[in-house]
Amino acid sequence: MNEATSVLGKPRVQAEEVQALQDTIYVIGGKWRLPIINSICNGNKRFREIERSIPGITTRMLSKELREMELNKLVKRTVHPGPPVLVEYESTPYCKTFGSIILEMIRWGKEHRDKLREE
Amino acid sequence: MNEATSVLGKPRVQAEEVQALQDTIYVIGGKWRLPIINSICNGNKRFREIERSIPGITTRMLSKELREMELNKLVKRTVHPGPPVLVEYESTPYCKTFGSIILEMIRWGKEHRDKLREE
DNA sequence: CCGTATCCACGCTGATACTG
DNA sequence: CAGTATCAGCGTGGATACGG
């Protein structure tokens, strides 16, 4: 894969990378975070709209994730007083930093569609 | 906001991508799969070696993951009869297809190191 | 050294129902 | 439409002990 499998100083670098990898996994932890980010980045704004765009998610999980994501500045929540009351979720610049990860994962998923059917 | 958020043909494409994304998340599900793949792709072969290279993992979790990963052709397990008995884990071509995802996640983790400290 | 087995606690998840 | 409440189950994780 790379130029050197056993060069001095490598373990140190590896440790850093492992840490970075585990940090990232922690942040996007769970099954729903990335699909939600993807949905919002694709322009979905309303709660039910987001919900419908993600197969399998339940109201409770979406609600929980959205709440936590708002706290972490991953989404912006705006309430337009009604009636009828209207709530909008928007992606933040921080949210968009996940773009390349999501893209890579979509690419992987498409490429391995057939393999997955077998499992 | 009105109805016209969806562009021609977009929903269909989105649905495919959401599915691909969720497939990928399913395959790499959990906190340990990717770090283990990364460790083995980095040349770690022995059980304890892999274990030590992943902060926080327990013997039980590593054992469980490795067993399942062998079934899914993600790793190749070889026993060199001893004594002492020697077991080696090696990455498969399939395993290596996760490379770009892992790289992207490491990159993300490094870039957001500071932000993470705050949380 | 290389794991497997068991017990136990806890949090995440899902299903369902209900409110404003 | 936009959520919250409640209950139950299971997977994950830690501790510990044991076997090859």
Side-chain angles (χ1 to χ4, degrees):
Chain A
M1 179 177 284
N2 48 33
E3 73 302 353
T5 40
S6 60
V7 175
L8 294 174
K10 191 105 185 286
R12 179 76 222 257
V13 174
Q14 274 185 29
E16 251 181 74
E17 302 193 334
V18 171
Q19 189 54 54
L21 179 56
Q22 289 188 277
D23 285 350
T24 306
I25 291 171
Y26 173 77
V27 174
I28 65 182
K31 301 154 57 176
W32 306 117
R33 189 65 59 93
L34 248 24
I36 293 170
I37 291 175
N38 182 56
S39 175
I40 294 178
C41 284
N42 271 341
N44 293 312
K45 293 178 183 311
R46 313 285 297 278
F47 189 89
R48 298 295 174 196
E49 202 176 22
I50 298 168
E51 189 178 11
R52 279 191 299 268
S53 75
I54 304 173
I57 199 169
T58 60
T59 308
R60 196 173 72 98
M61 281 301 112
L62 180 55
S63 170
K64 239 175 80 172
E65 289 293 330
L66 246 19
R67 206 181 312 143
E68 199 178 330
M69 288 168 72
E70 193 194 352
L71 288 175
N72 295 4
K73 314 280 189 202
L74 274 166
V75 296
K76 185 164 169 289
R77 182 180 189 267
T78 315
V79 180
H80 303 276
V85 178
L86 220 80
V87 182
E88 272 192 12
Y89 293 92
E90 287 167 283
S91 63
T92 64
Y94 182 37
C95 178
K96 286 171 183 142
T97 64
F98 294 95
S100 35
I101 293 177
I102 292 176
L103 249 35
E104 275 304 327
M105 292 180 71
I106 289 176
R107 210 167 60 78
W108 192 95
K110 283 181 176 174
E111 272 177 28
H112 292 263
R113 199 178 309 183
D114 303 336
K115 219 166 220 127
L116 258 36
R117 302 283 167 257
E118 300 166 14
E119 296 183 29
Chain B
M1 182 65 64
N2 341 12
E3 69 337 311
T5 38
S6 57
V7 182
L8 292 175
K10 194 108 179 282
R12 179 77 220 257
V13 175
Q14 274 185 29
E16 252 181 75
E17 302 194 334
V18 170
Q19 190 54 54
L21 179 57
Q22 289 188 276
D23 284 351
T24 305
I25 291 171
Y26 173 78
V27 174
I28 66 182
K31 301 156 56 175
W32 305 118
R33 190 64 60 92
L34 248 23
I36 293 170
I37 291 175
N38 181 56
S39 175
I40 294 178
C41 283
N42 271 340
N44 294 311
K45 291 179 185 311
R46 314 283 296 280
F47 190 90
R48 298 297 175 197
E49 201 175 23
I50 299 168
E51 188 178 10
R52 279 191 299 268
S53 75
I54 304 173
I57 198 169
T58 61
T59 307
R60 198 169 69 100
M61 281 301 113
L62 180 56
S63 171
K64 241 173 78 172
E65 288 292 329
L66 246 20
R67 206 180 314 144
E68 198 178 332
M69 288 168 72
E70 193 194 353
L71 288 176
N72 294 4
K73 314 283 189 201
L74 275 166
V75 296
K76 184 163 169 290
R77 183 178 189 268
T78 314
V79 180
H80 302 276
V85 179
L86 219 81
V87 183
E88 272 192 11
Y89 293 93
E90 288 167 282
S91 62
T92 62
Y94 182 35
C95 179
K96 285 171 183 143
T97 64
F98 294 95
S100 35
I101 292 178
I102 291 175
L103 249 36
E104 276 304 326
M105 291 179 71
I106 289 175
R107 210 167 60 77
W108 191 96
K110 283 182 175 172
E111 271 178 28
H112 293 262
R113 199 177 310 182
D114 303 336
K115 218 166 220 128
L116 258 35
R117 301 283 168 257
E118 301 165 13
E119 297 183 27

